[in-house]
Amino acid sequence: MECFKGSPRLPTFALPISYDIKLRPNLKTYVFDGKIIVVLDIVKETSCLVLNAIDLDISQNSVSLRSRESPQVLLPVSLELDKEDGILMLSFEQSLPLGEVILSMEFKGVLNDHLKGLYKSSYTLNGEKRCMAATQFEPSDARRCFPCWDEPSFKAIFKLTVEAPVDRFVLSNMPVEVERIDGNSKIVSFQESPKMSSYLVALVVGEFGYIENETVAGHKVRVYCEIGKTEQGRFALDLATSVLTFYSHYFGTPYPLPKLDMVAIPDFSGGAMENYGLVTYREADLLYDENNSSAVNKQRVAIVVAHELAHQWFGNLVTMEWWTHLWLNEGFATWVSYLAVDYLFPDWNIWTQFIDETRDAFRLDGLVESHPIEVEVHHHQQIDEIFDAISYKKGASIIRMLQSYLGPDTFQKGLISYIKKYAYKNASTDELWAVLSEVSGEPVRELMDSWTKQKGYPVVSVKRRNNTLEVEQSQYLSSGLPGSGEWIIPIVLCCGSYKSTTTSLIQGKVAKVSLPNSDLMDASGNSEFSQVNAQEESKIVPSTWVKLNVGQTGFYRVQYDEGLASCLRSAIAIGSLNPVDKFGILDDTYALCMACKQPLSTLLFLMDVYRNETDYTVLTCLIDIAYRVSMVVSDAIPAAASEIRCFSSKLLQNAAKKLSWDVTAGEGHLDTMLRGELLTALVSFGHNETIVEGMQRFDAFMKDRNTLMLLADIRNAAYKAVMQNTTALNRTGYESLLKIYKETDLSQERVRILSKLASSSDPALVCEALDFCLCSEVRNQDAIFVLSGISAEGREAAWLWLKRNWDLIWSCWGGNHLIIRFISTITSKLSSDEKAEEVETFFGEHCNPYIERTVKQSIERVRITAQWAKHIREEVGVLEFIQELASHN
């Protein structure tokens, strides 16, 4: 055993071919037992077998092995389990016969409440609390349900037989082959699966209602959910049937299984899980209620369903060889989900919204403690931490960049070829690059290695010199520290018009790029607008601007010299730029300001240009930046706190007045989403008129839950208005929200309420809300939503609460990816070096490999905020500038 402990991967002298698994979950005693028969191929001489198992009671007497060629039965002389590494070693007296052998054993386990392995989930039917069983095996928890080779590369065929109560649905990856009744039980045998990885095996046993449909190719699709909620699955069902057809065409390969079931599980740790043929979801990400779900909820369901169904090809049919290549699963599923949703809902402008994904990736990848897309994984406990914005969102962003460079048609042909070549197999990043190179004729690996094998990304500094741009790349770090990274960068720029565009490939630290239009220069060869003051900006001819990273398809930031930046501000002011590019300019400027590469006044001056903005995605970016700027300015210069909130509020009022509180006939999806974002932001910034209106509408809602005065899309704003005027001594609003929470059975409504409970300015009430998230009335999966709403005034109390309750929190969520959210969400709100030291000291005393990367990233974020606050305090004249901006109407 010692020679295998600590190894990141299992030895490969025995390879599983097929599993025959029998399981019997007991929904009353919360235990299960089972038996497996595994056909193995012994490919190298060995006298032991090493596989995976955790939290299973395996009887050594039940273990046996025999060759297909001989009747002789071999029994192990020892059975050793190592919980830390999750391995099981069976030792035999003699070398095992080469070729196919049959291993069998029996085991027992517990239906746990940690939302992983084979676990229990509770629901209420006719007033009675009941239990269902469900699985969550990704990344490495199939071993908690049955002994197995629990790594992606050990693909095998799985056949399940399950004994369960006769009145329960039993669902698995494949259709039912045989079902027979035995008293109060039924025994359900499923068809054999295709070759797949163990983390994709799935089982659900419970009481459900369902609705069904068929794709044009005849695949049956069902949505299962709690009895009484089936119509809430209609949107997802219709979406899924269309998405399967779209992907079958796009990937050039039909959906590989005979059926697809999608199941809403009441207790579920993630958003969804792409189990082959049996996709499981938390309720909020599958169900949509026309009367009580918001437009944001609807879009979220669409994106999540499209993401999970993309995995049926990218991830399930073709699977990453090891977790180092997780991004091949998650990055591609993220990117192609936008492709599918754009095809089905073109009016949502979803590709404009995609830049939110890129921004989230930027923010994580700007840390020293980030990691490469292709990240080394040395222990199964480290895997959960890389299910992050790098694997999902940076992965999706560089795929979009590569697709833009190769061209959509060529890229699609490459994907079709890749899927056909590696169907039912495993693949690595280099193997994808090889196929794309073969199809496109481009050196894809050489182009992309710098993006996947090193962490971080570049900022491209741009200066205009005569008829050329001088560009210089350096690694962007939010801390402002120098970095050593260097990338091959596809540069797309336009000059004065989107009709005037040029593309270049930048290699090396510095380069020169010719401008597509030379008529922008004066007779001396200099830009006539390179030196211009703020008052003259509005007079600048729009054809003078130069924009790099057109369409924001490149994964890099841009820093313009003041002449170029001035022209871009004018182009934004008169509407010459599209929303995506306006977003990019604003977000890049914010990032440079946070890294102390530009003064705060530069960012505020730019933000002021967006006062008349109407686009959803641009405004949500502006809102997010305004939140962050308001927080850091309030910490850095308390005397400017009210003025920065006033300024932020004024930036949004024009757009808010156009939309008002009430829906207008025929308004679009994006306007409906934007209304809620704007009103919630105005409440947050203390806009009195909005707060008063929100509280009045909330009062009407408390009297009549069907009132049209508080539709789902604006409830966040009203709930926040209520909580900002609630304290521990005046707690009516808090109690009212809890009343709604306890009355509703809609998961999305509960999440809305939980996310506002801690937004009071009273630290005592913030702590009470945090205590509530630990009680039995809040499902474990939902506790994190309370953390997201912690007010600025409650930050210190929340940090003390986390330390005080850490042992309890770890006992409930330790070893689950949700623990990462407890750490990152609470610590990210801190903003001083002293607090960074506290975080480092506390987690130094409570260290665990599972959270090591998260803790380091959290400490770095606190130090970055502290440094930015210090830089703002030292900026000459910034207080007066904020006061001046706040005074403008």
Side-chain angles (χ1 to χ4, degrees), residues 815-831:
N816 185 300
H817 75 274
L818 294 175
I819 193 71
I820 294 168
R821 298 280 289 278
F822 276 89
I823 299 167
S824 60
T825 305
I826 289 178
T827 60
S828 67
K829 298 177 185 294
L830 305 175
S831 61

mmCIF file of all heavy atoms in Angstrom, residues 815-831:
data_model
loop_
_atom_site.group_PDB
_atom_site.id
_atom_site.type_symbol
_atom_site.label_atom_id
_atom_site.label_comp_id
_atom_site.label_asym_id
_atom_site.label_seq_id
_atom_site.Cartn_x
_atom_site.Cartn_y
_atom_site.Cartn_z
ATOM 1 N N GLY A 815 -14.774 19.347 2.190
ATOM 2 C CA GLY A 815 -14.719 18.310 1.166
ATOM 3 C C GLY A 815 -15.761 18.502 0.074
ATOM 4 O O GLY A 815 -15.833 17.724 -0.868
ATOM 5 N N ASN A 816 -16.570 19.556 0.167
ATOM 6 C CA ASN A 816 -17.552 19.913 -0.857
ATOM 7 C C ASN A 816 -17.138 21.264 -1.431
ATOM 8 O O ASN A 816 -16.668 22.130 -0.697
ATOM 9 C CB ASN A 816 -18.947 19.988 -0.223
ATOM 10 C CG ASN A 816 -20.055 20.236 -1.213
ATOM 11 O OD1 ASN A 816 -20.066 21.241 -1.911
ATOM 12 N ND2 ASN A 816 -21.009 19.329 -1.270
ATOM 13 N N HIS A 817 -17.322 21.449 -2.741
ATOM 14 C CA HIS A 817 -16.847 22.692 -3.341
ATOM 15 C C HIS A 817 -17.524 23.929 -2.773
ATOM 16 O O HIS A 817 -17.021 25.050 -2.915
ATOM 17 C CB HIS A 817 -17.022 22.655 -4.864
ATOM 18 C CG HIS A 817 -18.422 22.847 -5.319
ATOM 19 N ND1 HIS A 817 -19.323 21.811 -5.424
ATOM 20 C CD2 HIS A 817 -19.100 23.960 -5.685
ATOM 21 C CE1 HIS A 817 -20.486 22.285 -5.838
ATOM 22 N NE2 HIS A 817 -20.379 23.567 -6.010
ATOM 23 N N LEU A 818 -18.658 23.765 -2.076
ATOM 24 C CA LEU A 818 -19.343 24.916 -1.505
ATOM 25 C C LEU A 818 -18.518 25.570 -0.398
ATOM 26 O O LEU A 818 -18.678 26.765 -0.131
ATOM 27 C CB LEU A 818 -20.712 24.500 -0.953
ATOM 28 C CG LEU A 818 -21.735 24.028 -2.005
ATOM 29 C CD1 LEU A 818 -22.998 23.524 -1.331
ATOM 30 C CD2 LEU A 818 -22.068 25.142 -2.986
ATOM 31 N N ILE A 819 -17.615 24.821 0.233
ATOM 32 C CA ILE A 819 -16.775 25.410 1.284
ATOM 33 C C ILE A 819 -15.924 26.540 0.712
ATOM 34 O O ILE A 819 -15.604 27.514 1.400
ATOM 35 C CB ILE A 819 -15.887 24.326 1.939
ATOM 36 C CG1 ILE A 819 -15.252 24.857 3.233
ATOM 37 C CG2 ILE A 819 -14.809 23.849 0.997
ATOM 38 C CD1 ILE A 819 -16.207 25.037 4.365
ATOM 39 N N ILE A 820 -15.587 26.412 -0.556
ATOM 40 C CA ILE A 820 -14.771 27.440 -1.219
ATOM 41 C C ILE A 820 -15.517 28.767 -1.231
ATOM 42 O O ILE A 820 -14.926 29.835 -1.052
ATOM 43 C CB ILE A 820 -14.420 26.981 -2.649
ATOM 44 C CG1 ILE A 820 -13.500 25.752 -2.581
ATOM 45 C CG2 ILE A 820 -13.801 28.105 -3.460
ATOM 46 C CD1 ILE A 820 -13.315 25.049 -3.913
ATOM 47 N N ARG A 821 -16.828 28.705 -1.413
ATOM 48 C CA ARG A 821 -17.639 29.930 -1.460
ATOM 49 C C ARG A 821 -17.684 30.615 -0.089
ATOM 50 O O ARG A 821 -17.706 31.853 -0.017
ATOM 51 C CB ARG A 821 -19.046 29.600 -1.945
ATOM 52 C CG ARG A 821 -19.107 29.033 -3.356
ATOM 53 C CD ARG A 821 -19.012 30.113 -4.411
ATOM 54 N NE ARG A 821 -20.225 30.908 -4.442
ATOM 55 C CZ ARG A 821 -21.343 30.564 -5.087
ATOM 56 N NH1 ARG A 821 -21.387 29.421 -5.767
ATOM 57 N NH2 ARG A 821 -22.395 31.347 -5.078
ATOM 58 N N PHE A 822 -17.727 29.835 0.993
ATOM 59 C CA PHE A 822 -17.715 30.442 2.323
ATOM 60 C C PHE A 822 -16.459 31.287 2.494
ATOM 61 O O PHE A 822 -16.508 32.413 3.003
ATOM 62 C CB PHE A 822 -17.758 29.353 3.401
ATOM 63 C CG PHE A 822 -19.137 28.860 3.730
ATOM 64 C CD1 PHE A 822 -19.691 27.808 3.025
ATOM 65 C CD2 PHE A 822 -19.881 29.450 4.734
ATOM 66 C CE1 PHE A 822 -20.962 27.345 3.318
ATOM 67 C CE2 PHE A 822 -21.157 29.000 5.043
ATOM 68 C CZ PHE A 822 -21.703 27.947 4.328
ATOM 69 N N ILE A 823 -15.332 30.744 2.079
ATOM 70 C CA ILE A 823 -14.058 31.442 2.260
ATOM 71 C C ILE A 823 -13.963 32.655 1.347
ATOM 72 O O ILE A 823 -13.726 33.784 1.800
ATOM 73 C CB ILE A 823 -12.885 30.481 1.991
ATOM 74 C CG1 ILE A 823 -12.920 29.307 2.973
ATOM 75 C CG2 ILE A 823 -11.557 31.219 2.099
ATOM 76 C CD1 ILE A 823 -11.996 28.164 2.599
ATOM 77 N N SER A 824 -14.148 32.436 0.049
ATOM 78 C CA SER A 824 -13.900 33.512 -0.915
ATOM 79 C C SER A 824 -14.909 34.648 -0.794
ATOM 80 O O SER A 824 -14.543 35.825 -0.891
ATOM 81 C CB SER A 824 -13.896 32.949 -2.341
ATOM 82 O OG SER A 824 -15.136 32.357 -2.659
ATOM 83 N N THR A 825 -16.177 34.324 -0.558
ATOM 84 C CA THR A 825 -17.203 35.370 -0.519
ATOM 85 C C THR A 825 -17.023 36.281 0.691
ATOM 86 O O THR A 825 -17.130 37.514 0.578
ATOM 87 C CB THR A 825 -18.607 34.749 -0.505
ATOM 88 O OG1 THR A 825 -18.755 33.871 -1.614
ATOM 89 C CG2 THR A 825 -19.676 35.827 -0.565
ATOM 90 N N ILE A 826 -16.736 35.712 1.836
ATOM 91 C CA ILE A 826 -16.615 36.533 3.048
ATOM 92 C C ILE A 826 -15.301 37.299 3.075
ATOM 93 O O ILE A 826 -15.265 38.500 3.369
ATOM 94 C CB ILE A 826 -16.787 35.657 4.300
ATOM 95 C CG1 ILE A 826 -18.253 35.221 4.419
ATOM 96 C CG2 ILE A 826 -16.355 36.409 5.569
ATOM 97 C CD1 ILE A 826 -18.555 34.314 5.587
ATOM 98 N N THR A 827 -14.198 36.643 2.749
ATOM 99 C CA THR A 827 -12.911 37.342 2.835
ATOM 100 C C THR A 827 -12.739 38.380 1.739
ATOM 101 O O THR A 827 -12.029 39.371 1.925
ATOM 102 C CB THR A 827 -11.742 36.349 2.775
ATOM 103 O OG1 THR A 827 -11.784 35.628 1.531
ATOM 104 C CG2 THR A 827 -11.798 35.365 3.929
ATOM 105 N N SER A 828 -13.382 38.191 0.581
ATOM 106 C CA SER A 828 -13.196 39.130 -0.532
ATOM 107 C C SER A 828 -13.724 40.519 -0.217
ATOM 108 O O SER A 828 -13.374 41.489 -0.895
ATOM 109 C CB SER A 828 -13.888 38.596 -1.788
ATOM 110 O OG SER A 828 -15.289 38.581 -1.623
ATOM 111 N N LYS A 829 -14.546 40.644 0.801
ATOM 112 C CA LYS A 829 -15.105 41.944 1.166
ATOM 113 C C LYS A 829 -14.188 42.731 2.096
ATOM 114 O O LYS A 829 -14.438 43.898 2.375
ATOM 115 C CB LYS A 829 -16.476 41.748 1.815
ATOM 116 C CG LYS A 829 -17.507 41.098 0.897
ATOM 117 C CD LYS A 829 -18.831 40.858 1.615
ATOM 118 C CE LYS A 829 -19.822 40.095 0.736
ATOM 119 N NZ LYS A 829 -20.266 40.862 -0.433
ATOM 120 N N LEU A 830 -13.111 42.089 2.590
ATOM 121 C CA LEU A 830 -12.164 42.762 3.476
ATOM 122 C C LEU A 830 -11.187 43.599 2.658
ATOM 123 O O LEU A 830 -10.956 43.320 1.481
ATOM 124 C CB LEU A 830 -11.426 41.730 4.320
ATOM 125 C CG LEU A 830 -12.320 40.781 5.137
ATOM 126 C CD1 LEU A 830 -11.481 39.717 5.829
ATOM 127 C CD2 LEU A 830 -13.165 41.557 6.149
ATOM 128 N N SER A 831 -10.581 44.620 3.299
ATOM 129 C CA SER A 831 -9.836 45.568 2.459
ATOM 130 C C SER A 831 -8.633 46.192 3.141
ATOM 131 O O SER A 831 -8.264 47.312 2.815
ATOM 132 C CB SER A 831 -10.787 46.677 1.989
ATOM 133 O OG SER A 831 -11.314 47.379 3.107
#
